[in-house]
Amino acid sequence: MTTRRTLLAGAAALAAAPLATPLAASALAAPSRDAAGPSLNDLAKAKGMTFGSAVSAGVIAGPRRDPRYTALLERDCGALVCENETKWVALRPDAQTFDFAAADTIAAYAGAHDMALRGHTLLWHHPDWFPQWLTNYDFGSRPATEAERVLSDHIRRVCAHYPQVFSWDVINETVDAQTGALRDTSLSNAMGQRVLDVAFHTAREAAPHAQLVYNDYMSWEAGHEAHRAGVLRLLEGFKTRGVPIDALGVQSHIGSGNQDDSVGFDTAQEREWRKFLDEATGMGLDIVISEFDVHDKNLPADPVVRDQAVADLGRRYLDLMFSYPQTKTVMAWGMYDPYSWLQGRWPREDGGAKRPTPFDAEYRAKPLHGAIADAFRAAPMRTALDITPANRN
Ligand code: 9MR
């Protein structure tokens, strides 16, 4: 449980945390609170990277549409990803039907504003996130064959519907964070863990130009050792078996209070994290920062102090990640505090609203926005990933 003591200890740990590189010192110079400065994607592009965000269809069209928010996206983003609309639960009301309406809203909006599209996710291979009908599906007398048919039919249909997607999270979160073992679902019960390889092979056939990604939330935090090890085992297995995988998606829900109460990223943790990234990139994989936000659950209530702490941690983290030339894509998991998924989970002790994204409730750029901009400015140049839709038809 979070206590005032852990809260203060957390803030102190952040303040005392060693700076990762000399460059990180510039993060201390906060940008003006209401001036967003240059477009984040322009700064990213100058270094061979892309910046974008997750978005929900509801802010683009319908009664909750929010033009002030979409103006921010248009200014800062070179890519969008559906926060929920391309998951099985959204696309597949039942075994026969595909409902693309909500995801189409996002895809059409992205296309109209010259933003590329990432895809999340062809298979969230975790029983909690399967639609009920798939969990209860009767795979009949030849379960392996039927499971493979259901899976590959889904992947083919979805990839064909969105040929412009430049990068697909093929599998999401299939490594158990506690044990490092692979999770079981109705599909793996029917066809074995071959389900993962089949998903990648089918995605390669159906989306030959897309970057294919394994996406997960392992981090440097205490308690993540088994998770990191499990992910590396999975990636090694993919490489050994010749499974077509191009990148590791590092979700990057960083900060305090996700899995534990720490906010730190100390030298020892940084070393562990680099070891993990070295191993993944050593397998020839690119890195995608796929769901970036900075949780402020245990940070002090004062918004100025809190925003600065969020920005400082964000900057140190991005500096480290950008030191890998394999990091080419940064997707924020939302750009505007009130819409963040973190508002609904792990409440702050003071009950206050969270401040985990680049823009506050008044649509003003926060220090985190400046920190992301500075991290792009400081990043070494790299070879860009081709994200143009013209090349993927
Ligand atoms: O932000 C998403 C939230 O709106 C959904 O309710 C939730 C369940 O579908 O998924 C959230 O997004 C998750 C993403 O799909 C996978 N990585 C963790 C993200 C945050 O939970």
Side-chain angles (χ1 to χ4, degrees):
M1 203 183 100
T2 309
T3 61
R4 185 171 157 70
R5 194 174 53 75
T6 55
L7 191 154
L8 290 173
L14 233 192
L19 293 171
T21 68
L23 292 173
S26 65
L28 300 174
S32 135
R33 281 176 55 75
D34 51 10
S39 153
L40 294 179
N41 188 53
D42 286 349
L43 293 170
K45 251 164 83 177
K47 297 302 169 66
M49 288 189 269
T50 298
F51 178 83
S53 176
V55 68
S56 295
V59 302
I60 294 169
R64 288 180 298 109
R65 66 187 285 277
D66 183 350
R68 292 184 77 186
Y69 181 51
T70 47
L72 299 181
L73 298 178
E74 287 156 30
R75 187 184 170 290
D76 269 329
C77 294
L80 293 178
V81 58
C82 298
E83 183 165 349
N84 291 301
E85 291 78 351
T86 40
K87 295 172 181 173
W88 280 68
V89 281
L91 287 177
R92 304 298 305 279
D94 56 50
Q96 285 75 42
T97 318
F98 286 77
D99 178 359
F100 290 110
D104 282 354
T105 299
I106 295 174
Y109 169 79
H113 292 89
D114 202 24
M115 293 188 258
L117 200 61
R118 273 207 90 235
H120 175 79
T121 164
L122 292 174
L123 184 61
W124 191 341
H125 196 248
H126 185 315
D128 292 357
W129 305 109
F130 266 33
Q132 217 26 261
W133 67 262
L134 184 58
T135 298
N136 301 331
Y137 193 84
D138 177 4
F139 291 98
S141 58
R142 298 180 64 202
T145 310
E146 177 60 3
E148 183 162 347
R149 188 199 63 76
V150 171
L151 173 68
S152 47
D153 178 52
H154 176 89
I155 292 177
R156 286 194 193 108
R157 290 280 297 273
V158 176
C159 289
H161 196 84
Y162 300 112
Q164 71 272 49
V165 166
F166 71 95
S167 171
W168 270 111
D169 290 335
V170 178
I171 301 286
N172 189 50
E173 296 174 22
T174 201
V175 175
D176 183 296
Q178 265 71 52
T179 65
L182 296 177
R183 298 184 198 275
D184 282 312
T185 66
S186 58
L187 287 177
S188 65
N189 290 337
M191 64 186 284
Q193 289 295 348
R194 216 169 54 83
V195 63
L196 307 178
D197 292 16
V198 168
F200 274 96
H201 283 293
T202 311
R204 181 61 97 219
E205 274 168 45
H209 303 288
Q211 176 191 54
L212 302 185
V213 180
Y214 174 70
N215 191 48
D216 210 330
Y217 59 86
M218 64 283 133
S219 93
W220 55 84
E221 290 172 39
H224 278 236
E225 299 79 4
H227 199 180
R228 290 195 301 270
V231 168
L232 290 176
R233 264 197 312 277
L234 175 68
L235 298 176
E236 271 162 22
F238 283 153
K239 295 309 279 187
T240 309
R241 297 190 298 276
V243 171
I245 176 171
D246 304 309
L248 171 64
V250 179
Q251 292 185 4
S252 309
H253 295 292
I254 68 168
S256 76
N258 291 343
Q259 271 76 47
D260 66 19
D261 274 351
S262 74
V263 286
F265 187 24
D266 63 26
T267 314
Q269 289 171 313
E270 195 179 307
R271 208 176 307 120
E272 282 306 301
W273 187 235
R274 279 191 182 276
K275 246 168 62 189
F276 171 80
L277 295 172
D278 288 346
E279 292 215 29
T281 53
M283 295 180 209
L285 298 174
D286 271 353
I287 300 285
V288 176
I289 298 180
S290 54
E291 305 182 12
F292 178 66
D293 51 25
V294 187
H295 200 178
D296 56 332
K297 174 175 179 284
N298 296 326
L299 293 176
D302 181 335
V304 175
V305 177
R306 208 190 322 166
D307 288 353
Q308 194 57 55
V310 161
D312 290 347
L313 181 61
R315 175 70 199 274
R316 289 180 52 226
Y317 176 71
L318 292 177
D319 281 347
L320 186 156
M321 297 300 280
F322 292 176
S323 73
Y324 288 84
Q326 294 87 349
T327 305
K328 297 174 181 171
T329 312
V330 182
M331 302 298 289
W333 208 240
M335 294 286 282
Y336 173 60
D337 289 340
Y339 297 158
S340 169
W341 70 289
L342 289 166
Q343 301 297 0
R345 321 250 172 119
W346 307 291
R348 285 176 57 83
E349 245 193 10
D350 60 14
K354 307 253 179 92
R355 303 178 67 86
T357 80
F359 287 90
D360 72 12
E362 279 75 50
Y363 304 88
R364 287 178 310 200
K366 299 190 305 178
L368 180 60
H369 190 281
I372 299 169
D374 286 345
F376 282 128
R377 285 191 185 97
M381 185 66 195
R382 61 214 62 215
T383 313
L385 184 72
D386 185 2
I387 63 166
T388 47
N391 295 336
R392 35 201 94 259
N393 288 321

